[in-house]
Amino acid sequence: MELCIALDLPNIEQNLQLLESIKEHNNLWIKVGFRSYIRDGKEFLKKIKEINPTFKIFLDLKLYDIPNTMADASEEIANLGVDMFNVHASSGKVAMQTVMERLSKLEKRPIVLAVTALTSFSNEEFKDVYSQDLAPTATKFAKDACEAGIDGVVCSAFESLDIKKSTSKEFLTLTPGIRPFGEDANDQQRVATIELANKNLVDFIVVGRPIYKSENPSAKVKQILERLELNF
Ligand code: C5P
């Protein structure tokens, strides 16, 4: 299981400061979302790699468009040199296949994940948009993504095992909402510990506030990495 840190601070200075404070830890995944990518762009991605070249970047832009436009955007993302990015599974199997076919032509491609259902949806809201119940549809989206050649999904730690059972053990799961040592849940509805994520075969845990709101982010990262080691 690998640790991915959500870089959700309000400005570039604070994000860079956080990275500086944890740069002694090699091979961390760094999640860059809409907010910082829209504001700070590709120069920011370069700065992350300058701080520690072993840091790996997960560009969380959740692509959703027609197949050709998604493939074009995916190729541009690959050209940025990021290590992982994501698309919406509800963009459909053809769109996901088109993305993976396009990326397969490149010498090196990033890992591609699909978002099944946004966790902010209640079942009612989900049904209003998709005319289907959330849980079975999220599983179907995961299967579609797997069949389309996508590498894995973003899901909750609670769903990870079922998704692996209905796809394959190698199909990756990345799970936000992790509170490694029972920290404050903040606005997350259902939070999971490292133990639960490990039991459910999660491949990547995303941790934001428990790290960047801690008094000593580097010590917190160290503590999490030590716990991850223990689980293997
Ligand atoms: O601070 P916290 O650890 O809750 O951060 C979790 C990160 O994962 C945030 O960047 C949040 O936007 C993201 N995320 C999430 N739930 C999802 C998808 C993404 O919390 N379903």
Side-chain angles (χ1 to χ4, degrees):
M1 194 154 60
E2 297 184 46
L3 172 62
C4 180
I5 300 174
L7 221 53
D8 289 334
L9 287 154
N11 57 53
I12 187 167
E13 290 77 21
Q14 286 181 54
N15 277 331
L16 291 174
Q17 208 177 4
L18 173 68
L19 290 168
E20 284 289 346
S21 75
I22 58 172
K23 72 177 177 191
E24 71 192 272
H25 305 286
N26 287 333
N27 299 314
L28 292 174
W29 282 88
I30 308 295
K31 183 171 92 71
V32 175
F34 274 150
R35 186 190 197 179
S36 51
Y37 191 67
I38 288 169
R39 189 189 52 219
D40 306 319
K42 58 184 182 186
E43 286 308 309
F44 178 53
L45 303 183
K46 274 194 205 142
K47 286 198 169 101
I48 296 174
K49 296 268 185 183
E50 278 165 19
I51 289 175
N52 181 334
T54 74
F55 282 171
K56 288 170 280 186
I57 300 174
F58 168 30
L59 192 59
D60 180 17
L61 298 184
K62 303 183 183 73
L63 303 186
Y64 184 111
D65 211 310
I66 59 171
N68 185 59
T69 304
M70 280 180 58
D72 287 345
S74 301
E75 198 174 338
E76 296 298 347
I77 288 174
N79 290 338
L80 291 173
V82 306
D83 305 277
M84 179 153 73
F85 74 97
N86 54 4
V87 301
H88 271 285
S90 55
S91 60
K93 230 168 159 174
V94 174
M96 291 189 280
Q97 269 163 348
T98 310
V99 163
M100 298 316 285
E101 271 164 27
R102 180 75 70 85
L103 293 177
S104 71
K105 297 193 177 102
L106 306 178
E107 215 166 278
K108 188 173 171 273
R109 70 159 178 85
I111 295 171
V112 188
L113 301 180
V115 177
T116 54
L118 294 172
T119 44
S120 53
F121 273 134
S122 66
N123 189 49
E124 283 316 300
E125 285 172 319
F126 187 88
K127 240 174 145 171
D128 198 37
V129 179
Y130 296 99
S131 305
Q132 312 268 2
D133 281 311
L134 194 156
T137 312
T139 309
K140 184 201 172 280
F141 282 160
K143 279 192 205 159
D144 287 349
C146 187
E147 284 165 18
I150 294 277
D151 302 303
V153 285
V154 180
C155 63
S156 102
F158 298 90
E159 295 155 5
S160 172
L161 194 58
D162 281 346
I163 286 176
K164 295 221 175 214
K165 280 184 188 155
S166 55
T167 55
S168 94
K169 217 177 150 195
E170 284 70 44
F171 193 58
L172 303 170
T173 56
L174 174 140
T175 66
I178 302 294
R179 293 295 176 263
F181 306 104
E183 296 89 343
D184 189 345
N186 311 105
D187 60 349
Q188 298 281 13
Q189 296 299 320
R190 286 195 306 164
V191 297
T193 58
I194 292 174
E195 280 63 35
L196 185 124
N198 189 51
K199 210 170 113 227
N200 287 347
L201 307 180
V202 167
D203 297 284
F204 301 92
I205 51 167
V206 179
V207 185
R209 284 162 288 187
I211 292 174
Y212 66 75
K213 291 224 182 247
S214 111
E215 296 236 315
N216 185 341
S218 184
K220 184 64 122 184
V221 169
K222 184 164 179 275
Q223 200 186 6
I224 296 172
L225 292 175
E226 281 168 0
R227 184 61 69 93
L228 292 182
E229 296 266 315
L230 277 184
N231 280 311
F232 284 94

